[in-house]
Amino acid sequence: MVELFSGLPIIREVPFENLSVKEAREKMQRELEEETAQVDLVGQGTLMERFGFVPPGTQLKEAILGFMEEQAAAFYSPKTGRFYNVERFGPLDALGESVTVAHELTHAAQDQALGLGVAMAARGDDDDRTRALQWAMEGHATVVGNRAGGFLSAPFPGPPGVALGEGQTFLMWTPVMTEAMKRMGSVGAAAAAPAFIRDGIFTSYVAGSRFVWQTERVLGREHNLRVICRPPQSTEQAMHVEKYLRRMDPPVKVSLPALAGAPRVELTMGEWAIAWLLHDLTQKEDAGVAAEGWGGDRMALYPDGSAAWRIVMDDERSARRLHAALEQHLMPRLADGALLRQGREIHVLRGDLTTNASSVSGQLAGAALGSFPADPPPPPGSACAQFLKGK
């Protein structure tokens, strides 16, 4: 059934293991620590706090792990190639079994087709490109899970149930249902996670399923292989599916100079995150429109605690619009902040960098812009290897 609804073959058996909630937490913690062993999560949290994405004192590792352990009913690990069921509700686990199993088996099929671990690692230094890959994978698995769940266990199982599965996907996109999902997910330890972290995780399912469904409407369900083998390069492409379909407007690789020593940590936010910030600041649904026209960005935290955020828009018109929105809504909250625009670039500064803001802005504008390398090749003989060979 997963092969039918996902368009991906499962060529190897997927090992299965039951875990208690305690065992699941311990495994998630081990994998998170391994994945972030060389990552300064404290510095990342501080940097996001500098520009208003998370509250002061946010502990990213604890926030992410707390959210995952509260919400996970099951998970697939590319590291082990194994499907793990979390025995959270005992016999009641069966109520969501068809949806959950289909969702996680879809991740196994994606892994066998693309090589998820390698694909994620290749984008690991750019948060927005990583998020776009997550949207494609989670969105695809969500759509497949909903269809399979409807087919197997809906009030009208079989082909009519697929329509109910589609309806479940559509409901996820409505503001009321999306907000309800967030509220239901914000319990226990997950409630302590900053809104940006929670929303980022939920959006991979909500916006991701919309991206996959919209792509299907144009290409047909049998072409879902393209979404997996050629995932979007940015959240911009996933949010504006026509850009993905036309393979246009790839993200710009933005670099930062050593303004106050070598950067301690760097992040890329992307169109989705900037739109999220504007919405969070204004509580207006349409506030994120000001982020449209995003081309690339990079922010850095320096050893002295100062920070710089370089945003490159597609053109000056888009830059003026975003500059005005940030000036009105973000800058009043940054006591030691400075906001400057040079052509299509916007620069936000914090700390000692603001004492000579014009000079710093000139240095930022003079730093190189580039392009990202192609994604790594998929495993030899895989479905994606055959797909890309045919293209």
Side-chain angles (χ1 to χ4, degrees):
M1 184 154 295
V2 167
E3 290 181 328
L4 172 67
F5 290 130
S6 73
L8 302 177
I10 296 181
I11 58 177
R12 295 187 304 277
E13 181 180 349
V14 182
F16 173 85
E17 184 176 342
N18 268 317
L19 299 177
S20 68
V21 173
K22 181 174 183 279
E23 290 170 333
R25 174 184 170 80
E26 291 171 349
K27 175 160 186 61
M28 290 178 190
Q29 185 168 4
R30 286 195 302 271
E31 293 203 356
L32 182 61
E33 288 176 348
E34 290 172 3
E35 291 170 6
T36 61
Q38 305 302 317
V39 178
D40 183 356
L41 287 177
V42 174
Q44 288 188 359
T46 301
L47 180 54
M48 286 192 284
E49 179 270 322
R50 289 285 190 271
F51 296 106
F53 287 94
V54 299
T58 294
Q59 302 295 317
L60 283 185
K61 181 183 290 186
E62 289 75 8
I64 294 170
L65 182 60
F67 189 92
M68 290 170 58
E69 70 165 350
E70 286 283 351
Q71 300 304 310
F75 59 96
Y76 171 80
S77 171
K79 185 177 180 64
T80 63
R82 187 176 290 265
F83 178 124
Y84 297 93
N85 178 61
V86 182
E87 296 181 314
R88 186 176 299 278
F89 302 113
L92 293 178
D93 279 347
L95 293 176
E97 184 172 292
S98 56
V99 175
T100 300
V101 171
H103 184 109
E104 300 305 333
L105 283 180
T106 301
H107 285 321
Q110 294 166 351
D111 188 24
Q112 294 180 13
L114 182 64
L116 290 182
V118 173
M120 281 291 183
R123 295 191 181 194
D125 64 344
D126 189 272
D127 314 86
D128 183 66
R129 295 179 72 234
T130 300
R131 191 186 300 278
L133 180 58
Q134 290 172 330
W135 282 21
M137 301 305 154
E138 294 295 357
H140 181 232
T142 297
V143 170
V144 173
N146 286 347
R147 287 173 177 155
F151 191 93
L152 290 171
S153 59
F156 305 99
V162 175
L164 295 176
E166 296 286 343
Q168 182 176 337
T169 300
F170 300 151
L171 282 174
M172 292 173 62
W173 308 340
T174 65
V176 172
M177 182 58 70
T178 301
E179 187 61 30
M181 289 169 59
K182 292 177 184 177
R183 290 182 182 278
M184 286 189 291
S186 300
V187 297
F196 180 70
I197 303 301
R198 296 199 308 266
D199 290 356
I201 294 173
F202 276 119
T203 301
S204 64
Y205 301 93
V206 177
S209 63
R210 181 190 290 113
F211 163 72
V212 170
W213 190 87
Q214 289 176 332
T215 304
E216 283 186 358
R217 301 284 75 75
V218 178
L219 299 178
R221 188 181 299 177
E222 67 274 14
H223 292 288
N224 268 344
L225 200 60
R226 173 174 171 176
V227 170
I228 302 307
C229 301
R230 277 195 178 138
Q233 294 297 308
S234 64
T235 56
E236 177 187 39
Q237 286 189 342
M239 293 165 72
H240 308 282
V241 70
E242 70 280 358
K243 294 186 177 184
Y244 168 77
L245 292 171
R246 295 167 63 185
R247 301 180 69 181
M248 62 180 288
D249 207 4
V252 175
K253 187 174 184 179
V254 179
S255 61
L256 295 170
L259 299 172
R264 172 183 167 184
V265 65
E266 297 184 24
L267 294 171
T268 300
M269 304 313 294
E271 181 175 332
W272 176 80
I274 296 174
W276 180 94
L277 178 63
L278 292 171
H279 176 264
D280 185 63
L281 291 169
T282 65
Q283 297 301 306
K284 294 180 179 178
E285 290 294 332
D286 61 348
V289 172
E292 293 183 6
W294 173 90
D297 75 88
R298 196 71 168 168
M299 61 169 60
L301 177 71
Y302 293 92
D304 66 354
S306 59
W309 187 10
R310 182 188 184 192
I311 306 171
V312 179
M313 303 297 283
D314 291 335
D315 50 54
E316 285 197 38
R317 180 181 179 183
S318 299
R320 286 194 297 269
R321 181 176 59 193
L322 179 58
H323 180 275
L326 293 175
E327 185 173 47
Q328 179 180 358
H329 303 297
L330 177 62
M331 298 314 294
R333 304 193 181 200
L334 305 184
D336 62 343
L339 176 69
L340 303 95
R341 183 179 69 83
Q342 292 208 28
R344 67 178 182 134
E345 295 198 17
I346 299 167
H347 306 146
V348 191
L349 309 176
R350 296 292 309 271
D352 289 346
L353 293 176
T354 62
T355 59
N356 198 8
S358 295
S359 175
V360 171
S361 181
Q363 293 179 65
L364 288 172
L369 297 175
S371 55
F372 290 96
D375 288 322
S382 67
C384 282
Q386 297 175 32
F387 172 83
L388 294 175
K389 184 178 180 180
K391 301 301 178 181

